[in-house]
Amino acid sequence: MLTRESLNAELTKRSEEFRDFIGEHLSSADAFLSALATIGSAAPEDITSRLNASENPGAVPSRELFSNGGVVLPFSGSWADHQEARRWAAEILDNRTTFAADGSQIYTGKETSLPVAAVQIGWFENPHDATAQYQKNTRFELLTPDILLKDQQDPMDPDIRVEARRYLGEVERIGEFLTSKQGWQERSERMPVAFFDNPLLVPFSQKGLQKSFLNATVELVH
C-alpha cells in the first residue's frame, strides 16, 4: 500500500534530481529556439549553401520560410467574442467538404500464443451543406500470422507491422477522398480540406517498410 507520507518523503528526497533535469531541458529548448530563429532570419542563399554542403540534410525548407521571413506564419483574424469567432468559422466551412480519417489497432501476440491483430480506419466526411448527407464509416482488417510474421525482408517486431498497416490505411483513405474531389475548381466548389493526423515523415527505420511508407506519403502529398 502506498501512503501519502512515503510518497511525499521520496519526492522530497529526489527533488534536486527533478530540478536538474528541468534545468537541462530548458537549456536545450533555448538552444533549439535560438537555432530556429537563426534559420528563420537567414537568407535563402545561405541556407541552400549550407544544405548543399551536407551529404544528407534530412530536410529542406519550404517556400513559406523565405516568403514569410520567419518560421512563424501569423494569423490575421481577430474577434471581439466567441460568437463572432463562430460566425467566422461558419462562413469558412459553409458548403466546404471536410474529411478526416483516424485509425486504431490492437495486437494480442503478448497475451496469446496465436499472433493476431486488427486495424480499423474510421473516417468522417462532412459537406457542411444542410441539403447533403455526411458520411461516417469504418474499414476493418484482420491481420493473421501470415501477414504479421511471414515475407519479411528484415526481422521485424509484429507491433511495428501493425502500426504500419494503421498508418498506411489512414494515408490510403485520405488519398481516396482527395482523388474523389479532383476537379472541384471546374465544378465551382469550395476547396475541400482533409485533416491528416500524422507527421509527414517516414516514422520507422526498418528497411522493409521505408519504401512503402515513403511512396505512400509522397503520393498523398501529390
Side-chain angles (χ1 to χ4, degrees), residues 12 29 51 92 103 114 135 157 161-162 165-166 178 183 210 216 219:
T12 301
L51 292 176
I92 295 297
L114 178 66
Q135 181 185 142
D157 189 330
R161 180 151 290 197
V162 177
R165 294 296 278 252
R166 179 199 58 76
L178 294 174
Q210 278 185 339
E219 181 63 25

Side-chain angles (χ1 to χ4, degrees), residues 200-218:
L200 292 175
L201 299 170
V202 177
F204 298 119
S205 60
Q206 280 72 16
K207 294 181 180 178
L209 289 177
Q210 278 185 339
K211 187 173 183 180
S212 60
F213 267 90
L214 185 60
N215 290 344
T217 304
V218 170

Side-chain angles (χ1 to χ4, degrees), residues 48-77:
T48 301
S49 175
R50 289 170 178 264
L51 292 176
N52 288 338
S54 175
E55 182 178 352
N56 182 20
V60 294
S62 62
R63 294 189 303 270
E64 291 85 356
L65 179 67
F66 302 134
S67 61
N68 185 65
V71 296
V72 176
L73 299 178
F75 179 66
S76 59

Side-chain angles (χ1 to χ4, degrees), residues 23-60:
E24 293 176 4
H25 176 76
L26 292 176
S27 177
S28 298
D30 288 341
F32 281 121
L33 289 173
S34 176
L36 198 61
T38 300
I39 293 174
S41 60
E45 299 79 11
D46 183 32
I47 295 179
T48 301
S49 175
R50 289 170 178 264
L51 292 176
N52 288 338
S54 175
E55 182 178 352
N56 182 20
V60 294

Side-chain angles (χ1 to χ4, degrees), residues 183-194:
W184 58 271
Q185 299 100 322
E186 290 77 7
R187 297 189 297 270
S188 298
E189 297 175 357
R190 301 192 76 181
M191 183 177 67
V193 176

Side-chain angles (χ1 to χ4, degrees), residues 106-118 142-150 152 156-159 162:
I106 184 172
Y107 173 55
T108 64
K110 297 178 181 178
E111 291 79 21
T112 66
S113 59
L114 178 66
V116 61
L142 193 66
L143 306 183
T144 64
D146 282 349
I147 297 175
L148 293 171
L149 303 176
K150 293 184 179 180
Q152 298 185 18
M156 189 183 306
D157 189 330
D159 280 312
V162 177

